[in-house]
Amino acid sequence: MVNVAVLGYGTVGSGVVEVLNINKEIIKRNVGEEIKVKYVLDLREFEGDPVQEILVHDYDVILKDKDVKIIAEAMGGVEPAYTFTKNALLAGKSVCTSNKELVAKHGAELLEIAKKNNANYFFEASVGGGIPIIRPLNNCITADEVTGISGILNGTTNYILTEMSEKGAAFEEVLKDAQDKGYAERNPEADVEGHDACRKIAILTSLVTGSQVDFEDIYTEGITKITEKDFKYAKAMKASIKLLGISKKIDGKFYSLVAPFLVKHKNPLYSVRGVFNGILVHGNMVDDVMFYGRGAGKSPTASAVVSDVVDAAKNLGKHIPVEWNEKKYDLGKISELKSRFFVRMKDKGLDDDLMPAIIEAFGDVLCIRAEGVHDELAFITDEIREDEFKEHIAKFEDVYSVIRVDF
Ligand code: HSE
C-alpha cells in the first residue's frame, strides 16, 4: 500500500480524493498496489464528510510521517504551497500538483530538489487541466525539435469568447453569466486579463527550452476589449477570436505572448469551443500534434493530479528526469516579432479619406466588411514588426480595435 496526503480540500483536492475512491480498483491495477489517502490537510472543518476522520490542520503531522510517500498539493497560490512542497521533497516525498502559479515561479528549483532527494515533482494538472500535455512533452515528443506551441490554455476565457461569438452577446453580459454558472471566478482578473494563460505558456516554454522562462517576461493581453462588432468581422472572414498562448522559435530564439487572435476555420484551434482547451505543438519531425480536452473543472483536473500520483507510486525512490533548469531563458523581444494585424477604425467618409494614409503606413492591406457594421474601416495588414505597427497605428485617431491574426 502507498500512503498519500492531499493538501487542500477545495475543488481540486476533494476531486483527488473522489478519483482515488471511485477508481480505486483501476488505480490499484495500474500501480500494482493500493493507494490510500492517509491525511487531508485543510484549515477548515468538514462536518458530516467522511474526510473529517483523516483531516489534519498541522502540516508537520504529514511531513513527519515516514509512511506518507506522496503528496497531492491542491492548495493553489505560491505560499504556503512553496514551503510545504520544498520540505516534502527535501524529506524524499514526491509531490504532484495542479498549482500553475507555483510551478511557473519555482518549477525548476523544485525539480532540482526532487532530483537530489530521489523524489519526483509532477505537475501534469498545471496546464490544460485533464489534458495530458506535460508528460507528452517530457516523455513522448522527445525525438523532435519543438519549434512552436499555440494553445487555448484558459477555459473561462474560451467559454466567454465562444458565447460572444455564438450568441452575439457583449463581454460584460457573458462574464456575468459565466460567473453565475461558476465558470468564472467572482474576481475574474487572472483569467480575463490573460495572467493564467501566461503562467501556462511559461511552463510549456520552460519545458521546451529546458530553461527558466519567467512569466513576467511574456507579453500578455487579455480579452476585455473584444466586442460584439469584432465577432461580426470574424464571421465575415470565417474566423473566430481566441485567447492564445503562443511560443514560436524564429532564427533560434523563442518568442512568447498571450493575446486574443483571429483564428480561421481551417486552424484546428478554431473548433475548440466553450470551457475546452486545445494545444497545438509543432515538432520539426512529427509536424503538428494537437491535444484537446477539458482544461478546467474538478474531475478532469483531479484526474491529471491522480495520474501523477500513479506515476509517483510506480517510481518511489527513483527520480524521473525533467529537463528544466534554473538558468533564465532570454525570450526574443516582442517588439521584433512580426504579425499580421486586424484593425478597425472610424471611417471619416470621402471628405477625409483615410485609405491613402493607411496604405502609406501599412502598404497593401486587405479590406474587410461586416454585415450591419457601418461608418468603419476595417483591414488586415501584411506581416509587420510589432514596434513598426505600434509606431504607425499611433498616427490614427479613433482606432476601435487591434487584433493579431493567426491564420
Ligand atoms: N481558471 C482556469 C481556467 C482554471 O479557466 O482555465 C484551470 O487552470
Side-chain angles (χ1 to χ4, degrees):
M1 183 186 306
V2 180
N3 285 301
V4 173
V6 178
L7 311 187
Y9 198 62
T11 307
V12 179
S14 59
V16 167
V17 174
E18 236 171 73
V19 171
L20 284 166
N21 281 334
I22 294 170
N23 287 346
K24 196 181 175 120
E25 290 308 316
I26 293 163
I27 292 164
K28 184 175 172 185
R29 195 183 69 202
N30 286 336
V31 177
E33 52 188 316
E34 192 181 321
I35 302 274
K36 183 184 158 206
V37 182
K38 189 164 181 185
Y39 305 106
V40 169
L41 178 82
D42 204 291
L43 290 174
R44 298 164 292 180
E45 300 292 336
F46 298 93
E47 301 299 343
D49 185 322
V51 79
Q52 193 69 28
E53 284 171 30
I54 51 167
L55 191 70
V56 291
H57 304 303
D58 178 4
Y59 180 58
D60 275 355
V61 174
I62 295 168
L63 197 60
K64 285 182 184 145
D65 188 334
K66 289 200 165 35
D67 283 348
V68 174
K69 305 287 187 208
I70 301 168
I71 288 177
E73 185 266 302
M75 306 175 76
V78 174
E79 282 293 4
Y82 171 59
T83 306
F84 287 1
T85 300
K86 202 168 166 174
N87 289 338
L89 294 171
L90 286 167
K93 300 180 196 296
S94 287
V95 179
C96 309
T97 186
S98 56
N99 189 337
K100 61 235 163 183
E101 291 97 340
L102 180 57
V103 176
K105 184 111 189 116
H106 295 293
E109 181 200 350
L110 294 169
L111 281 165
E112 186 58 26
I113 297 171
K115 184 179 171 185
K116 285 188 178 141
N117 291 279
N118 294 323
N120 287 295
Y121 185 49
F122 289 146
F123 43 91
E124 184 58 72
S126 64
V127 180
I131 307 170
I133 177 65
I134 304 293
R135 202 165 282 109
L137 278 181
N138 285 335
N139 300 343
C140 304
I141 311 176
T142 49
D144 275 69
E145 181 191 359
V146 173
T147 55
I149 299 180
S150 176
I152 294 170
L153 300 169
N154 183 270
T156 305
T157 46
N158 202 49
Y159 173 83
I160 293 172
L161 293 173
T162 306
E163 291 287 295
M164 286 177 76
S165 170
E166 294 179 4
K167 299 194 173 145
F171 171 78
E172 292 298 343
E173 191 185 322
V174 180
L175 172 63
K176 196 186 165 304
D177 169 58
Q179 286 172 320
D180 292 344
K181 286 186 172 141
Y183 293 157
E185 306 276 348
R186 284 289 137 202
N187 178 358
E189 193 184 331
D191 292 316
V192 299
E193 297 295 355
H195 306 317
D196 176 81
C198 171
R199 276 153 183 83
K200 291 167 178 169
I201 195 71
I203 294 169
L204 297 180
T205 315
S206 294
L207 290 175
V208 165
T209 60
S211 305
Q212 175 65 24
V213 172
D214 289 332
F215 64 84
E216 295 93 337
D217 293 345
I218 298 177
Y219 175 84
T220 300
E221 228 178 76
I223 62 163
T224 54
K225 292 186 193 133
I226 303 294
T227 67
E228 307 97 289
K229 278 191 185 161
D230 293 321
F231 277 103
K232 287 193 173 171
Y233 284 98
K235 275 209 176 95
M237 291 183 263
K238 289 207 176 81
S240 194
I241 301 167
K242 300 287 187 189
L243 182 71
L244 299 184
I246 290 186
S247 276
K248 52 183 166 186
K249 198 173 188 179
I250 300 165
D251 297 333
K253 203 177 243 315
F254 271 95
Y255 292 78
S256 299
L257 79 160
V258 172
F261 277 82
L262 272 159
V263 172
K264 246 197 169 162
H265 67 289
K266 61 185 183 206
N267 182 330
L269 294 173
Y270 173 90
S271 314
V272 178
R273 298 175 58 253
V275 293
F276 280 78
N277 283 190
I279 307 157
L280 261 178
V281 177
H282 186 84
N284 66 341
M285 295 292 137
V286 71
D287 204 0
D288 282 338
V289 186
M290 171 92 164
F291 299 86
Y292 171 82
R294 289 194 181 271
K298 181 174 175 168
S299 299
T301 309
S303 156
V305 175
V306 175
S307 76
D308 279 348
V309 170
V310 168
D311 213 6
K314 284 163 82 176
N315 291 286
L316 287 179
K318 183 182 163 208
H319 176 71
I320 308 289
V322 175
E323 288 308 314
W324 178 0
N325 65 51
E326 288 182 73
K327 192 168 176 291
K328 182 180 165 76
Y329 185 88
D330 284 322
L331 288 168
K333 287 195 183 75
I334 185 80
S335 56
E336 294 168 1
L337 191 66
K338 282 186 178 171
S339 295
R340 293 177 74 195
F341 291 88
F342 166 73
V343 180
R344 282 172 49 217
M345 57 175 71
K346 186 172 180 176
D347 185 0
K348 296 184 175 167
L350 288 177
D351 294 341
D352 185 10
D353 185 6
L354 290 175
M355 273 330 279
I358 289 171
I359 290 166
E360 196 190 323
F362 304 109
D364 278 343
V365 294
L366 180 67
C367 289
I368 315 285
R369 286 189 202 294
E371 215 180 297
V373 185
H374 309 286
D375 307 324
E376 287 191 4
L377 283 174
F379 57 90
I380 293 180
T381 68
D382 264 346
E383 278 204 333
I384 177 170
R385 275 175 58 126
E386 292 261 349
D387 52 0
E388 287 171 17
F389 176 80
K390 228 169 140 186
E391 186 192 321
H392 291 310
I393 200 72
K395 295 174 198 151
F396 294 89
E397 290 166 3
D398 300 318
V399 174
Y400 299 140
S401 229
V402 170
I403 305 173
R404 291 168 189 80
V405 177
D406 188 49
F407 285 172

